[in-house]
Amino acid sequence: MKRNNLFIRNYTYKMVLPIVAYGDPVLRKKAKEINKDYPKLDELLQNMWDTMYHAYGVGIAAPQIGLPIRLFVVDATPFSEDEELTEEEKNDLRNLKQVFINPKILKEEGDEWAFNEGCLSIPDIREDVFRKPDITIEYLDENFEKHTDTFTGLSARVIQHEYDHIEGILFTDKLSSLKKRLIKGKLANIAKGKINVDYRMRFPEIKKAR
């Protein structure tokens, strides 16, 4: 998930991977579970954090770096700077830095609400997306310890966005037919690499042309 404001942090990048752009088939695959013997998992997680921070994201899923596995990472800290939030909401966001392995959303509850979302794989497109505000999710952390937690508001939304990625779903799928028609040309240009971005990307149509 892409945030809509820059958040500069003191951070040393070790390995920044190219982010897969809209149109790549890996973004449409339902990802598979992994086990604790998955090769170089610690290195992969570090690379995902590096890639996410470099692109000013608040979350990134493994399919976005070309791996169809059920894994994503989230750091919602930048959203905690929104002055319109309550202190409780700010604290929830500050405390949401988490690895999610083999997650399963058990419940989504409440009345749907809209929020303007963006995505690292779909640069320069932002649209209002409706989601339910409360989720209960079961997942494994980086040590393969099992958790069942409840999240609400923006915290839930960031997780829902990344969870969609491992289900082969993009936020643009949730738009109205009219909105989809309006952004069709932009999406086609993204797939062809006809866009300026300030982070590394891998474009499917360029790859096909080679």
Side-chain angles (χ1 to χ4, degrees):
M1 189 170 180
K2 176 81 171 178
R3 56 185 180 270
N4 59 7
N5 63 313
L6 295 183
F7 180 79
I8 305 300
R9 65 177 72 227
N10 293 321
Y11 191 84
T12 302
Y13 306 110
K14 294 181 180 177
M15 175 64 74
V16 175
L17 303 173
I19 293 173
V20 173
Y22 177 90
D24 194 299
V26 73
L27 295 177
R28 292 305 188 180
K29 291 181 180 179
K30 184 162 183 175
K32 295 182 178 180
E33 293 191 351
I34 62 173
N35 59 40
K36 62 178 62 177
D37 296 322
Y38 190 84
K40 298 183 178 179
L41 181 58
D42 289 344
E43 181 180 330
L44 171 60
L45 289 172
Q46 183 61 57
N47 292 346
M48 288 178 70
W49 288 120
D50 288 351
T51 302
M52 182 190 79
Y53 289 140
H54 184 262
Y56 299 107
V58 292
I60 192 169
Q64 292 181 277
I65 56 167
L67 298 174
I69 58 175
R70 298 186 74 79
L71 164 65
F72 60 84
V73 301
V74 164
D75 183 354
T77 305
F79 283 142
S80 68
E81 298 186 335
D82 188 340
E83 293 302 321
E84 295 183 5
L85 299 175
T86 66
E87 282 305 313
E88 182 180 2
E89 289 171 324
K90 290 179 182 179
N91 285 332
D92 287 345
L93 292 163
R94 287 189 197 106
N95 293 326
L96 180 53
K97 180 180 178 181
Q98 185 63 54
V99 172
F100 293 82
I101 297 172
N102 300 340
K104 182 179 181 181
I105 290 182
L106 305 176
K107 287 191 297 185
E108 291 182 289
E109 299 176 300
D111 295 330
E112 289 189 345
W113 64 293
F115 184 79
N116 195 249
E117 294 189 21
C119 180
L120 297 178
S121 293
I122 312 175
D124 288 352
I125 293 180
R126 301 193 64 86
E127 295 290 346
D128 286 346
V129 177
F130 284 85
R131 298 185 188 272
K132 292 187 176 181
D134 305 311
I135 65 168
T136 300
I137 186 169
E138 180 182 275
Y139 63 96
L140 304 173
D141 63 21
E142 61 268 38
N143 300 312
F144 274 78
E145 294 182 2
K146 191 174 182 178
H147 302 263
T148 302
D149 292 327
T150 299
F151 298 91
T152 190
L154 272 177
S155 298
R157 181 171 291 268
V158 174
I159 293 167
Q160 289 165 311
H161 181 107
E162 300 309 326
Y163 186 86
D164 277 352
H165 274 299
I166 63 173
E167 292 290 305
I169 298 168
L170 301 174
F171 84 91
T172 49
D173 298 339
K174 298 180 177 294
L175 304 178
S176 68
S177 297
L178 174 60
K179 286 284 188 181
K180 287 177 182 176
R181 287 198 298 271
L182 290 174
I183 65 172
K184 185 176 180 180
K186 287 185 177 180
L187 293 174
N189 283 337
I190 290 171
K192 296 172 184 174
K194 295 180 178 180
I195 189 167
N196 293 320
V197 287
D198 56 2
Y199 51 88
R200 293 181 67 198
M201 293 198 75
R202 189 180 88 194
F203 300 100
E205 294 299 325
I206 291 178
K207 186 172 63 175
K208 285 179 186 177
R210 287 175 181 171

